[in-house]
Amino acid sequence: MREKPLSRIGDEVLRIRRDVSRAVEGGSAPTGFGVDQELVTAFEAGTLSPAGRSELARQVARQLPAHWSQSNTLAEAMTRFIDHLGGQRELIVWLDGYPGPPRLVARLYVLMGLLDQYSENPAVVTALREYRERTPYPAGLEGHLVPQTDDETLAGLSTGIEELLGDGELGKAAGLALATTDCLRRVAARAAELDPATDDMGEVMDHTHRDIREAASES
């Protein structure tokens, strides 16, 4: 995972996701949901085998998109595990160390964090709105966008990625993510004209696009 996108997402990745995931709070946990607490305990003790670590990473990656429906017992175990790693940012870095679904999920969460932040930037929203006046539904985003563009548009794409992950649709989640990064690469120059503080958005989206594409090829 490239450092620049990671450096932009802050430390509270899952807190950001809870803020924009209210639409799925009424759902139920997906099949395979949960984390083996014996694996967590062994990991904390430093006795977990490499195979056990890979399995724990797989379970954690599967659970993250359904954090909104975890039981109190699982929430406590996950909090303890994340604290052991050093925080939510460190959790993402740890998952990225395991090829396949864990790495892909980690990189998708980096993008989700970026989208949530860009949603709050008027220059990015304006640049996207202007682009959609010429191209209402950019390639790969058909069915994921409503006609109007506002400060909920990118956050909505972020939620859509997480919902696909929660359904176990990793390929579709990666496809939506790649289409989103490609769209933002196209509006980056205009956003920078409107707000010089966004002048690295194109570079960040380039890095993120490559990260997700590489991880998807492993999954």
Side-chain angles (χ1 to χ4, degrees), residues 81-129:
F81 177 67
I82 293 170
D83 288 346
H84 179 79
L85 289 173
Q88 294 177 14
R89 179 188 172 92
E90 288 74 15
L91 169 66
I92 297 302
V93 173
W94 180 78
L95 284 173
D96 193 69
Y98 295 89
R103 180 171 292 163
L104 177 57
V105 168
R107 296 182 180 189
L108 290 175
Y109 267 90
V110 171
L111 174 61
M112 290 180 217
L114 292 169
L115 293 179
D116 292 335
Q117 291 185 21
Y118 289 142
S119 288
E120 300 173 357
N121 189 301
V124 176
V125 174
T126 297
L128 180 59
R129 181 183 298 114

Side-chain angles (χ1 to χ4, degrees), residues 10-195:
D11 297 324
E12 300 297 321
V13 181
L14 301 186
R15 178 187 61 79
I16 292 173
R17 297 306 315 137
R18 290 192 184 99
D19 288 346
V20 297
S21 296
R22 295 188 183 95
V24 295
E25 284 180 354
S28 58
T31 302
F33 176 82
V35 175
D36 187 330
Q37 295 190 52
E38 291 185 3
L39 293 179
V40 174
T41 300
F43 179 82
E44 292 173 332
T47 60
L48 191 60
S49 68
R53 286 171 175 256
S54 294
E55 173 60 18
L56 179 58
R58 186 195 67 78
Q59 292 182 12
V60 170
R62 185 74 181 104
Q63 182 272 331
L64 284 187
H67 56 73
W68 41 266
S69 63
Q70 63 189 11
S71 66
N72 290 336
T73 299
L74 180 54
E76 290 171 3
M78 283 299 300
T79 297
R80 192 176 78 241
F81 177 67
I82 293 170
D83 288 346
H84 179 79
L85 289 173
Q88 294 177 14
R89 179 188 172 92
E90 288 74 15
L91 169 66
I92 297 302
V93 173
W94 180 78
L95 284 173
D96 193 69
Y98 295 89
R103 180 171 292 163
L104 177 57
V105 168
R107 296 182 180 189
L108 290 175
Y109 267 90
V110 171
L111 174 61
M112 290 180 217
L114 292 169
L115 293 179
D116 292 335
Q117 291 185 21
Y118 289 142
S119 288
E120 300 173 357
N121 189 301
V124 176
V125 174
T126 297
L128 180 59
R129 181 183 298 114
E130 291 176 355
Y131 177 66
R132 292 192 65 203
E133 289 173 356
R134 304 186 302 275
T135 307
Y137 297 99
L141 299 183
E142 305 91 343
H144 298 283
L145 292 171
V146 297
Q148 68 273 17
T149 302
D150 55 27
D151 58 4
E152 295 294 326
T153 301
L154 292 177
L157 290 173
S158 180
T159 298
I161 293 168
E162 187 174 57
E163 289 176 341
L164 287 169
L165 287 178
D167 290 338
E169 298 282 3
L170 271 69
K172 290 182 180 179
L176 176 55
L178 291 172
T180 300
T181 56
D182 187 60
C183 177
L184 287 181
R185 289 192 295 186
R186 296 174 186 274
V187 307
R190 176 56 176 155
E193 289 179 0
L194 296 169
D195 180 2

